[in-house]
C-alpha cells in the first residue's frame, strides 16, 4: 500500500485526521494500521470514540461530583473556616497596622567625591 493511497484514505475519512490533531493518535500509527489491515478494518473505529460513550463518561463524572458533594460533612467545613478566620485575625494582630512604608531620605552626594575617596 502506497503513501498516495493512504492520503486518499485519510481524505475519505477526515475524522481520523481530526483524531490526530486532537492528539488521540499519530499519522504513523494510522499508516501502520492501514498497511497491516487495509481500509475496511475496524481498527480505525477504535481510534474514534463513539458519541454515546462520551455522554456516558460525562454523566458518570457528573454522578461522581454529586456523590462527592453528598459525602461532605458541613460541620467539618465550618470548623475549618472558623480556624482559618482565627488564624487570619491572629496574623493581622501581629503585623503592624501602620500602612506607611519606611522610605529613607535621599542624601545628595558631593559633586567632587568619586569612588568613596
Amino acid at each position: 500500500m502506497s503513501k498516495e493511497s493512504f492520503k486518499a484514505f485519510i481524505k475519505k475519512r477526515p475524522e481520523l485526521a481530526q483524531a490526530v490533531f486532537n492528539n488521540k493518535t499519530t499519522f504513523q500509527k494510522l499508516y501502520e494500521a492501514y498497511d497491516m489491515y487495509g481500509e475496511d478494518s475496524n481498527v480505525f473505529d477504535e481510534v474514534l470514540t463513539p458519541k454515546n460513550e462520551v455522554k456516558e463518561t460525562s454523566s458518570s463524572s457528573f454522578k461522581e461530583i454529586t456523590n462527592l458533594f453528598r459525602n461532605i460533612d458541613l460541620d467539618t467545613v465550618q470548623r475549618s473556616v472558623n480556624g482559618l478566620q482565627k488564624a487570619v485575625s491572629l496574623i493581622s494582630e501581629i503585623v503592624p497596622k501602620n500602612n506607611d512604608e519606611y522610605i529613607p531620605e535621599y542624601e545628595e552626594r558631593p559633586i567632587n567625591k568619586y569612588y568613596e575617596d
Side-chain angles (χ1 to χ4, degrees):
M1 308 230 172
S2 69
K3 292 180 186 176
E4 284 20 337
S5 63
F6 175 70
K7 288 179 184 180
F9 170 70
I10 292 294
K11 287 181 183 178
K12 282 190 250 178
R13 301 205 43 194
E15 65 270 6
L16 293 174
Q18 191 63 36
V20 172
F21 296 134
N22 291 337
N23 293 327
K24 293 182 180 178
T25 187
T26 62
F27 281 117
Q28 180 67 35
K29 290 179 183 178
L30 289 175
Y31 181 74
E32 289 172 359
Y34 175 79
D35 192 31
M36 289 174 62
Y37 301 111
E39 289 184 22
D40 300 327
S41 176
N42 293 335
V43 174
F44 300 108
D45 296 332
E46 294 175 8
V47 172
L48 307 171
T49 56
K51 293 181 182 177
N52 59 0
E53 285 185 13
V54 172
K55 289 180 184 177
E56 289 177 11
T57 57
S58 64
S59 65
S60 66
S61 64
F62 181 72
K63 287 179 184 177
E64 290 174 5
I65 291 172
T66 55
N67 288 336
L68 177 70
F69 282 118
R70 285 183 190 156
N71 295 333
I72 292 177
D73 184 18
L74 294 179
D75 293 330
T76 306
V77 172
Q78 183 64 37
R79 279 184 264 149
S80 299
V81 169
N82 288 339
L84 286 173
Q85 286 177 341
K86 288 179 184 177
V88 168
S89 66
L90 180 65
I91 291 172
S92 67
E93 289 175 7
I94 293 173
V95 174
K97 295 182 181 180
N98 187 0
N99 291 336
D100 297 333
E101 294 182 19
Y102 173 72
I103 300 173
E105 292 186 24
Y106 177 72
E107 291 183 25
E108 214 174 294
R109 291 184 68 179
I111 295 174
N112 57 0
K113 190 174 184 182
Y114 299 107
Y115 303 109
E116 300 298 327
D117 289 341

